[in-house]
């Protein structure tokens, strides 16, 4: 069952009379039901007060009474939330729920001094408003709690315990600053503007959910189609790169063979120039170099043969060529 925690200030929960000289040993926790109406207009049902007592007894421990519901608001933030007293027993009196209280000295003195006059129960209720069990209570004068489940607006003046509160007393408004900030509104936005902003958020959320469930086919494609298209693109890119390599290799081989046939480079130096052409911009540099080289030999049918053995010393012209190519005399002689 979904449950929620709430607090309420009822018109009959005064704990200090005009002439009281001691803190009361018994306090009223809930007025007689079944319909309970808090002073801010909220409603609950106390259909089975005996079950509330049974839940208290099953808990096996007294329930705290604190100051201004500090157990609900300060304790979760690690702040001090001392007890003012402890509810040790409960009983039904004419349909109302009463509790026996052991007050702390400090709280008893404050009650006698009328520094606190009212008790506000904190309780667990079902989603439909049925009170299930008591969680504790707080000494209060004018509650204005901040948590959504506990927030309420109360009269700025404490009512007399013997009379119902007038319905025309002014109310202390809830602090909606944080809510306005979250909605992007000015801090003083009206309730109508806040509700309108909430409705806009709901509409935007519904639109987003609908769009996610049925995406626009002009902007989105199924994942399988996307993966297949990417695979095809990768295959095409690989094939294109391979074809480009073949074309480049053919261009390099053609340029080298042209240089050999022209007598500008030795046939045995093909691999050296092929490595040069493999570098970035290498083919262009090779063509520029060939344009500056003199003819070092006429083409013959011996161009592809190894004539390295028995070579004589290089001529001055051959040394000049070897220097331009960055080759030693021995390396050049081996390729000549």
């Amino acid at each position: 069952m979904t449950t929620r925690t709430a607090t309420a200030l009822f018109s009959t929960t005064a704990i200090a009379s005009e002439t009281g000289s001691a803190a009361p040993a018994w306090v009223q926790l809930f007025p007689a039901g079944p319909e309970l109406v808090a002073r801010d207009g909220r409603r609950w049902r106390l259909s089975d007060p005996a079950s509330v007592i049974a839940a208290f007894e099953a808990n096996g421990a007294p329930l705290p009474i604190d100051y201004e519901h500090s157990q609900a608001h300060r304790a979760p933030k690690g702040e001090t939330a001392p007890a003012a007293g402890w509810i040790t027993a409960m009983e039904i009196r004419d349909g109302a729920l009463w509790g026996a209280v052991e007050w702390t000295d400090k709280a008893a003195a404050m009650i006698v001094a009328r520094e606190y006059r009212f008790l506000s129960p904190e309780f667990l209720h079902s989603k439909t408003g049925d009170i299930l069990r008591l969680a504790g209570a707080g000494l209060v004068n004018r509650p204005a709690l901040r948590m959504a489940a506990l927030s309420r607006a109360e009269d700025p003046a404490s009512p007399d315990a013997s009379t119902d509160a007038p319905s025309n007393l002014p109310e202390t408004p809830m602090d909606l600053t944080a809510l306005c900030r979250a909605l992007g509104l000015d801090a003083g936005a009206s309730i109508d503007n806040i509700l309108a902003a909430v409705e806009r958020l709901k509409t935007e959320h519904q639109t987003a959910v609908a769009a996610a469930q049925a995406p626009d086919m002009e902007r989105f494609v199924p994942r399988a189609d996307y993966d297949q298209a990417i695979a095809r693109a990768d295959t095409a890119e690989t094939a294109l790169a391979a074809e480009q390599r073949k074309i480049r290799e053919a261009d390099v081989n053609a340029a080298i063979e042209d240089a050999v046939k022209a007598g500008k480079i030795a046939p045995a130096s093909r691999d050296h120039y092929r490595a040069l052409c493999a570098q970035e911009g290498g083919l262009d540099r090779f063509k520029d170099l060939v344009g500056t080289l003199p003819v070092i030999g006429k083409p013959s049918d011996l161009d592809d043969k190894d004539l390295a053995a028995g070579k004589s010393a290089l001529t001055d012209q051959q040394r000049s060529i070897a220097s331009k190519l960055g080759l030693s005399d021995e390396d050049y002689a081996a390729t000549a």
Side-chain angles (χ1 to χ4, degrees):
M1 176 182 293
T2 301
T3 57
R4 298 176 182 175
T5 302
T7 60
L9 182 66
F10 301 105
S11 61
T12 56
T13 55
I15 56 175
S17 65
E18 296 290 343
T19 59
S21 59
W26 284 81
V27 295
Q28 188 187 78
L29 300 171
F30 294 102
E35 298 297 327
L36 301 184
V37 182
R39 300 204 57 250
D40 59 2
R42 288 180 300 163
R43 296 175 177 272
W44 296 276
R45 283 186 302 278
L46 185 61
S47 303
D48 189 2
S51 66
V52 177
I53 295 178
F56 166 77
E57 293 174 346
N59 182 59
L63 295 177
I65 297 176
D66 55 30
Y67 300 93
E68 303 287 354
H69 292 293
S70 58
Q71 288 287 328
H73 300 284
R74 300 187 62 181
K77 296 185 290 185
E79 300 176 1
T80 303
W86 297 91
I87 300 171
T88 59
M90 292 176 63
E91 66 180 33
I92 302 173
R93 297 182 181 180
D94 298 325
L97 269 179
W98 288 70
V101 182
E102 294 179 356
W103 299 105
T104 64
D105 293 341
K106 175 183 177 181
M110 295 176 77
I111 292 171
V112 171
R114 295 171 59 79
E115 294 178 19
Y116 279 107
R117 294 186 60 195
F118 299 94
L119 194 69
S120 173
E122 181 179 345
F123 52 92
L124 200 68
H125 66 88
S126 69
K127 192 173 183 180
T128 57
D130 289 299
I131 296 175
L132 304 176
R133 65 180 177 85
L134 184 69
L139 287 175
V140 294
N141 285 325
R142 189 180 63 184
L145 305 181
R146 303 304 182 198
M147 290 178 63
L150 303 176
S151 295
R152 63 195 182 283
E154 292 295 344
D155 299 326
S158 299
D160 187 88
S162 61
T163 61
D164 290 336
S167 60
N168 59 350
L169 287 178
E171 294 184 344
T172 301
M174 291 171 56
D175 185 357
L176 300 176
T177 303
L179 178 59
C180 290
R181 184 168 55 248
L183 293 172
L185 301 174
D186 294 336
S190 66
I191 293 296
D192 289 340
N193 288 339
I194 292 174
L195 293 176
V198 172
E199 286 300 320
R200 284 196 300 272
L201 285 178
K202 290 171 60 179
T203 301
E204 291 171 1
H205 173 71
Q206 293 169 355
T207 301
V209 170
Q213 293 174 345
D216 185 353
M217 294 306 295
E218 293 184 358
R219 300 177 58 193
F220 302 96
V221 297
R223 182 70 191 192
D225 293 347
Y226 170 81
D227 291 340
Q228 186 174 9
I230 292 298
R232 288 177 178 173
D234 290 342
T235 301
E237 185 177 3
T238 301
L240 178 60
E243 187 63 25
Q244 289 175 336
R245 283 196 300 272
K246 289 181 182 179
I247 294 174
R248 179 178 177 80
E249 290 173 359
D251 291 343
V252 169
N253 290 334
I256 292 175
E257 292 305 318
D258 288 345
V260 170
K261 291 178 182 179
K264 296 293 187 78
I265 64 173
S269 64
R270 287 187 179 95
D271 289 341
H272 170 78
Y273 290 112
R274 216 172 260 113
L276 172 65
C277 292
Q279 301 174 7
E280 183 70 27
L283 180 58
D284 292 334
R285 290 197 297 271
F286 172 73
K287 290 180 178 179
D288 292 341
L289 175 62
V290 170
T292 65
L293 294 176
V295 176
I296 61 175
K298 297 292 184 180
S300 71
D301 58 352
L302 299 178
D303 286 345
D304 293 330
K305 296 183 179 179
D306 185 4
L307 301 178
K311 288 291 181 182
S312 60
L314 301 181
T315 65
D316 291 340
Q317 185 183 37
Q318 290 172 325
R319 288 193 183 92
S320 176
I321 294 172
S323 177
K324 291 181 179 180
L325 296 176
L327 300 174
S328 64
D329 289 357
E330 291 78 11
D331 290 339
Y332 185 86
T335 61

